[in-house]
């Protein structure tokens, strides 16, 4: 889409499906004023994703401090993803980068609460374009984003914190495998709960995405580790010291 402080911001095409879904929900959900409902729902999604973008810049700019460049920030219906050119292999750096995103959301909450009161349930159900109502929505959006991302499940930041914490003791691959198992198990349980307890198929789709992301994260790391191991062995053989000369 465009470039901010040297980082490319891109939108996955399914993001447009989400906007369409929001427009439809607004249109059909507010029969007394369908156009108003539609505009409000679309505005809400755009506001939420504005906060997601700021969250991702929190990761990207922290990563830059450690010398890790961000290839792009990709927006998908389940949120943003900052894609780094390299993965910091220092667990403490990875933890700092992962925490930086939610930290942005909590800082935003703090800043907005200087100007508006803490929102109550009534404020959040109100479809209002008044600035104070919008700021109260922003408080809720940022609280949800900050907390949800700290859940210890890939691809959420909490999953990365979990992996990095495990990697302090285990190999990076093993740490990723365990974090990925935790994520996949929780995603399956949450998707089943969404389908059979809550009755929200969109929620189940979200957790299917999370399952897929957890699986992909592990497979990517495994492939990278296998390649790295291959080259390491190859280099070792190539650089092996010559056999000692036979002693006379
Ligand atoms: Zn994040």
């Amino acid at each position: 889409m465009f470039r901010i402080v040297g980082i490319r911001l891109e939108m996955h095409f399914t993001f447009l499906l989400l906007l369409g879904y929001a427009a439809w929900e607004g249109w059909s959900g507010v029969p007394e004023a369908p156009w108003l409902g539609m505009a409000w729902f679309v505005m809400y999604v755009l506001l939420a994703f504005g906060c997601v973008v700021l969250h991702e810049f929190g990761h990207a700019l922290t990563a830059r401090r450690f010398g890790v460049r961000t290839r792009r920030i990709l927006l998908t219906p389940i949120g943003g993803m900052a894609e780094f050119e390299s993965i910091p292999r220092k667990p403490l750096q990875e933890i700092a980068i992962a925490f930086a995103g939610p930290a942005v959301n909590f800082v935003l909450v703090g800043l907005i609460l200087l100007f508006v009161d803490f929102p109550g349930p009534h404020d959040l159900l109100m479809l209002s374009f008044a600035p104070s109502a919008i700021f109260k929505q922003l408080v809720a959006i940022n609280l949800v984003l900050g907390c949800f991302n700290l859940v210890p499940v890939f691809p959420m930041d909490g999953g990365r914190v979990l992996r990095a914490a495990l990697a302090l003791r285990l190999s990076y691959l093993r740490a990723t495998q365990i974090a990925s198992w935790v994520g996949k198990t929780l995603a399956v349980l949450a998707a089943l709960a969404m389908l059979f307890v809550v009755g929200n198929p969109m929620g189940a789709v979200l957790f299917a995405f999370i399952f897929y992301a957890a699986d992909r994260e592990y497979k990517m790391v495994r492939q990278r580790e296998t390649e790295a191991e291959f080259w390491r062995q190859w280099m070792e053989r190539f650089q092996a010291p010559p056999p000692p000369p036979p002693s006379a």
Side-chain angles (χ1 to χ4, degrees):
M1 267 187 323
F2 37 83
R3 210 172 242 285
I4 308 166
V5 289
I7 296 168
R8 226 164 68 217
L9 186 62
E10 291 185 6
M11 199 170 77
H12 196 255
F13 76 97
T14 48
F15 183 76
L16 294 175
L17 296 180
L18 178 76
L19 277 183
Y21 174 75
W24 167 249
E25 279 284 300
W27 179 269
S28 58
V30 194
E32 59 281 12
W35 283 106
L36 180 76
M38 199 167 93
W40 194 90
F41 270 67
V42 169
M43 174 200 75
Y44 188 87
V45 169
L46 292 177
L47 277 182
F49 274 83
C51 298
V52 167
V53 169
L54 292 175
H55 168 116
E56 296 305 328
F57 271 98
H59 292 308
L61 296 179
T62 310
R64 185 183 280 183
R65 292 193 128 230
F66 298 126
V68 176
R69 288 162 55 89
T70 304
R71 197 183 305 126
R72 61 173 181 174
I73 288 175
L74 179 67
L75 287 182
T76 72
I78 61 158
M81 248 182 289
E83 294 182 356
F84 300 123
E85 281 186 354
S86 56
I87 304 286
R89 279 309 172 79
K90 299 188 182 96
L92 292 176
Q93 288 187 1
E94 194 178 13
I95 290 175
I97 295 171
F99 270 129
V104 167
N105 297 116
F106 293 127
V107 167
L108 284 173
V109 168
L111 287 178
I112 298 169
L113 285 180
L114 295 175
F115 302 101
V116 295
D117 294 331
F118 198 83
H122 169 78
D123 295 311
L124 298 182
L125 293 172
M126 194 169 57
L127 272 64
S128 163
F129 290 100
S132 68
I134 292 176
F135 279 118
K136 284 180 178 178
Q137 295 288 353
L138 279 171
V139 168
I141 289 171
N142 280 293
L143 270 183
V144 170
L145 276 177
C147 296
F148 182 67
N149 273 293
L150 287 178
V151 174
V153 169
F154 276 125
M156 263 87 78
D157 302 322
R160 285 173 208 293
V161 173
L162 173 65
R163 187 244 311 270
L166 290 168
L168 287 169
R169 287 296 182 82
L170 303 169
S171 78
Y172 192 75
L173 183 62
R174 184 82 183 132
T176 307
Q177 189 180 32
I178 294 174
S180 160
W181 278 342
V182 171
K184 286 194 279 191
T185 308
L186 290 177
V188 167
L189 292 177
L192 290 176
M194 277 289 165
L195 275 181
F196 299 111
V197 183
V198 186
N200 179 349
M202 274 307 279
V205 170
L206 173 86
F207 288 108
F209 263 109
I210 289 173
F211 182 94
Y212 168 75
D215 196 51
R216 199 181 66 152
E217 175 80 20
Y218 171 63
K219 286 184 177 149
M220 258 163 43
V221 170
R222 191 179 54 189
Q223 189 191 348
R224 225 174 15 227
E225 296 289 290
T226 314
E227 278 166 14
E229 180 59 21
F230 172 82
W231 286 113
R232 201 185 58 74
Q233 288 183 2
W234 193 82
M235 289 298 283
E236 229 165 46
R237 197 178 315 158
F238 192 66
Q239 293 177 338
S247 49

